[in-house]
């Protein structure tokens, strides 16, 4: 009887050790309630496991609070292998979130829509609300961020934001006109690129009581403006993941963490295998400021 109990206990322990680690809902949302959430985005259509691992490593070691990756279970496991931050998965297919959450994803996001605009796809308020309702039926308690398309007028964005709050969204994410390669741009250009998402963050944050996350075209120049406009967090992607090396990504993340006043930057751990990203081998302006 004693032997059987030992065997059962050992089996249960092994099963639990194989289960994906999850972070509590409260812990995932805490950086937003504190007004200093910083999500590093690797791209909704980026399925390169090594690149995702580099971005996740850079996010944690540069002082970010969250990592946003494409919605696929193997990518979740890869990110979790090098990063202990909350992992957010992005998609426009609600059913795809279930497997990703089972694999360990801590948060889900509907959007970002930039890559779909290039394909000629548009999303209406009804589309966004339908996706949000379906996600809430499938995953009623998972932290949920929803992107509002910039293709809507500002007044339409405000109405949708209010409806999304009623529908159960935890975070509203704004977006700009496009994701830009900001390498080599001057201060004026960086501000001009960010102005649409900054305007949306200002207007929406005053219309809803849930946190607003400002994203699209942000750098260390414009992130403080997003926070001043009312955003409780920021999402930064292309100015980080387009860099050639994980160490460069980390330095770009650190520059933004510092300008946000995020304290307690970690000491960098051993970085994952480097991924060369071809033509974008130069360090962005954001990273160069801290080199």
């Amino acid at each position: 009887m004693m032997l059987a109990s030992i065997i059962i206990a050992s089996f249960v322990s092994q099963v639990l050790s194989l289960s994906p680690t999850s972070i509590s809902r409260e812990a995932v949302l805490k950086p937003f309630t504190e007004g200093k959430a910083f999500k590093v985005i690797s791209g909704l259509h980026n399925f390169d496991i090594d690149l995702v691992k580099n971005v996740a490593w850079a996010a944690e070691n540069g002082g970010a609070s969250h990592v946003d990756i494409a919605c696929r279970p193997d990518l979740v496991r890869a990110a979790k292998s090098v990063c202990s931050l909350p992992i957010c998965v992005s998609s426009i297919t609600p059913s795809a979130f279930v497997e990703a959450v089972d694999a360990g994803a801590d948060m889900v996001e509907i959007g970002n829509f930039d890559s779909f605009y290039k394909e000629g796809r548009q999303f209406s308020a009804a589309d966004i609300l339908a996706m949000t309702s379906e996600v809430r039926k499938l995953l009623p308690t998972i932290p949920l961020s929803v992107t509002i398309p910039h293709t809507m007028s500002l007044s339409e964005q405000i109405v949708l934001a209010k409806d999304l709050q009623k529908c159960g969204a935890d975070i509203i994410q704004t977006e700009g006109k496009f994701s830009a390669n900001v390498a080599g741009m001057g201060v004026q250009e960086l501000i001009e690129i960010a102005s649409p998402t900054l305007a949306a963050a200002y207007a929406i944050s005053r219309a809803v009581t849930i946190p607003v996350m400002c994203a699209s075209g942000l750098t260390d120049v414009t992130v403080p403006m997003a926070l001043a406009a009312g955003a409780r967090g920021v999402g930064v992607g292309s100015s980080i993941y387009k860099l050639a090396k994980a160490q460069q990504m980390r330095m770009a993340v650190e520059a933004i963490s510092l300008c946000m006043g995020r304290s307690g930057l970690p000491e960098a751990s051993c970085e994952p295998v480097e991924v060369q990203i071809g033509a974008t081998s130069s360090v962005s302006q954001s990273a160069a400021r801290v080199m």
Side-chain angles (χ1 to χ4, degrees), residues 40-215:
V40 177
I41 304 167
S42 71
L44 184 146
H45 283 149
N46 175 18
F47 301 108
D48 184 322
I49 288 181
D50 288 332
L51 179 52
V52 167
K53 288 174 70 174
N54 274 0
V55 171
W57 176 88
E60 177 155 46
N61 287 281
S65 63
H66 298 72
V67 180
D68 187 324
I69 65 176
C71 186
R72 215 169 68 179
D74 60 330
L75 296 179
V76 174
R77 288 188 286 268
K80 288 274 186 179
S81 72
V82 297
C83 174
S84 63
L85 299 178
I87 303 298
C88 176
V89 289
S90 292
S91 178
I92 61 168
T93 306
S95 59
F97 289 130
V98 177
E99 286 190 7
V101 170
D102 288 342
D106 306 291
M107 179 177 177
V108 301
E109 179 172 295
I110 298 171
N112 192 305
F113 304 114
D114 281 0
S115 59
F116 296 103
Y117 300 142
K118 298 171 185 177
E119 301 170 0
R121 295 189 63 178
Q122 298 288 323
F123 299 88
S124 67
D127 293 331
I128 307 300
L129 288 168
M131 286 187 276
T132 303
S133 296
E134 187 174 350
V135 171
R136 271 294 167 243
K137 289 176 184 176
L138 294 169
L139 299 163
T141 62
I142 195 78
L144 169 61
S145 173
V146 183
T147 302
I148 293 186
H150 81 268
T151 52
M152 298 179 178
S153 68
L154 204 50
S155 59
E156 290 173 329
Q157 292 185 47
I158 291 171
V159 172
L160 177 56
K162 292 179 178 179
D163 289 339
L164 287 170
Q165 179 170 337
K166 294 175 184 175
C167 201
D170 296 297
I171 308 290
I172 299 294
Q173 178 169 297
T174 64
E175 65 173 14
K177 291 184 178 179
F178 56 89
S179 293
N181 184 355
V182 299
M185 288 187 179
V187 171
Q188 181 174 333
E189 293 170 299
L190 295 174
I191 294 173
E192 289 173 352
I193 284 173
S195 61
T197 194
L198 293 174
Y202 179 90
I204 294 172
S205 66
R206 285 156 177 77
V208 298
T209 57
I210 57 177
V212 172
M213 176 165 46
C214 189

Side-chain angles (χ1 to χ4, degrees), residues 26-37 65-66 232 262:
E26 292 73 19
V28 172
L29 295 176
K30 184 178 179 182
F32 292 98
T33 60
E34 294 177 341
K36 290 190 176 183
S65 63
H66 298 72
R232 305 295 291 173
R262 289 185 54 80

